[in-house]
Amino acid sequence: MSGFVEKPEPIQVPGLVHLHTGKVRELYQNEAGDLVMVASDRMSAYDWVLPTEIPDKGRILTQLSLWWFDQLADLVPNHVLGTDVPEGAPADWAGRTLVCKSLQMVPVEAVARGYLTGSGLLEYNDSRTVCGLALPEGLVDGSELPAPIFTPATKAAVGEHDENVSYEEVARQVGADTAAQLRQATLAVYSRGRDIARERGIILADTKFEFGFDGETLIIADEVLTPDSSRFWPAEQWEPGRAQPSYDKQFVRDWLTSPASGWDRKSEQPPPPLPQEVVDATRAKYVEAYERLTGMSWA
């Protein structure tokens, strides 16, 4: 069992039609047919959306995505039309709202990996491959790969796992031309993000993107290169052969699997609320990632 511990009721706003409640974002459509995406402060872990929020998280994700969209504009267009809060919406939507083009979304998580960890490491340990791509012997948790690789996944519903698939399977599902465009754009954006992060003392281990089509033009959508969609590691602490410290929900995962939480991940019981110290430490990591990457202070 998994999903929302407490699924929120969407806020009703005049002129907006609510379309979807995601793990973090609420999706609406305005009268012009544009999408209005609002990033909440919800936190997910182990396929659960937790009952405790992380203050400012949605704003950090939104503002960091906007910063990255600017850094990537010459590589791939994005879906952002504006950031104005719709009339009649709560004041709390300020800083966490994106008005976006409505796209024909590609039903694939476009994942790029430059380092071996997570589900890629599990597959590598079994077969010396990741998504069917052969890798050299001798790699360990945290090893840098010889070159970045495109390792797509199927998109899963809330409470379910994305499943890694081969490039050939993506080509079968969406067509060879679309698969080739996805791979090229994913690796180009990852490489740009990796180089910018590296200049700021951060390793971009892997990341996932979502793409859609505006006519025949491939557009990058949703969030991009945030701690929710990427593994960021402090470069000065990188040490292959162990799990790396990271700028994400590490404190949340560690607490949930510790005796202190009293929660059995394998049970059907939902996870408990997070203690304040875990909330504070997690927020601090998101803020630190924003500040190190952008060079700007989070006010």
Side-chain angles (χ1 to χ4, degrees):
M1 192 176 168
S2 55
F4 287 90
V5 175
E6 301 168 4
K7 188 168 185 178
E9 284 294 322
I11 295 168
Q12 301 301 319
V13 177
L16 299 185
V17 175
H18 183 261
L19 300 177
H20 179 66
T21 295
K23 290 180 181 178
V24 174
R25 287 167 181 78
E26 298 289 347
L27 191 63
Y28 297 80
Q29 188 171 46
N30 65 20
E31 291 172 335
D34 304 321
L35 297 182
V36 178
M37 199 166 64
V38 185
S40 74
D41 292 335
R42 295 193 289 267
M43 172 64 73
S44 64
Y46 299 122
D47 299 321
W48 284 94
V49 181
L50 305 179
T52 310
E53 295 188 338
I54 306 298
D56 284 332
K57 177 173 174 280
R59 288 192 179 90
I60 292 169
L61 298 180
T62 302
Q63 298 308 310
L64 186 55
S65 289
L66 286 168
W67 184 83
W68 277 115
F69 284 138
D70 285 344
Q71 314 305 311
L72 303 168
D74 61 313
L75 293 180
V76 61
N78 64 71
H79 67 158
V80 179
L81 297 172
T83 58
D84 290 343
V85 175
E87 188 174 343
D92 183 60
W93 282 20
R96 61 175 80 243
T97 299
L98 295 179
V99 182
C100 307
K101 292 179 183 177
S102 182
L103 305 175
Q104 185 67 41
M105 297 303 294
V106 181
V108 173
E109 292 279 5
V111 180
R113 301 175 192 269
Y115 293 75
L116 187 64
T117 194
S119 62
L121 176 66
L122 295 176
E123 182 183 334
Y124 173 82
N125 286 340
D126 283 342
S127 61
R128 297 298 182 262
T129 64
V130 177
C131 290
L133 297 173
L135 293 175
E137 292 284 341
L139 301 181
V140 295
D141 193 356
S143 288
E144 184 172 9
L145 302 178
I149 56 175
F150 176 60
T151 58
T154 57
K155 289 170 63 66
V158 175
E160 297 179 10
H161 277 300
D162 293 341
E163 294 289 338
N164 293 346
V165 294
S166 68
Y167 178 78
E168 291 72 23
E169 176 61 20
V170 171
R172 189 189 68 78
Q173 289 185 17
V174 303
D177 288 348
T178 296
Q181 287 188 68
L182 278 182
R183 180 167 62 184
Q184 188 278 328
T186 298
L187 293 176
V189 172
Y190 170 81
S191 296
R192 173 71 60 80
R194 175 201 60 196
D195 293 347
I196 290 173
R198 186 177 286 161
E199 292 170 359
R200 290 151 170 80
I202 290 178
I203 289 172
L204 174 58
D206 56 37
T207 190
K208 63 181 179 179
F209 306 116
E210 294 198 29
F211 290 94
F213 280 96
D214 180 17
E216 296 185 358
T217 303
L218 189 68
I219 306 282
I220 195 166
D222 199 47
E223 63 183 319
V224 61
L225 295 169
T226 71
D228 268 19
S229 63
S230 315
R231 281 190 178 92
F232 291 118
W233 299 335
E236 68 274 9
Q237 297 180 55
W238 176 53
E239 185 182 317
R242 62 169 174 83
Q244 311 299 315
S246 59
Y247 293 101
D248 60 7
K249 54 190 80 170
Q250 177 182 334
F251 289 108
V252 172
R253 294 192 192 101
D254 289 350
W255 183 79
L256 285 173
T257 54
S258 74
S261 76
W263 180 58
D264 180 2
R265 182 182 168 190
K266 297 177 182 177
S267 74
E268 294 191 353
Q269 295 301 309
L274 301 174
Q276 191 62 45
E277 61 268 22
V278 173
V279 171
D280 293 343
T282 302
R283 180 187 181 278
K285 276 296 176 188
Y286 276 77
V287 169
E288 184 182 350
Y290 173 87
E291 293 184 339
R292 286 190 71 168
L293 287 167
T294 67
M296 296 184 288
S297 175
W298 180 259

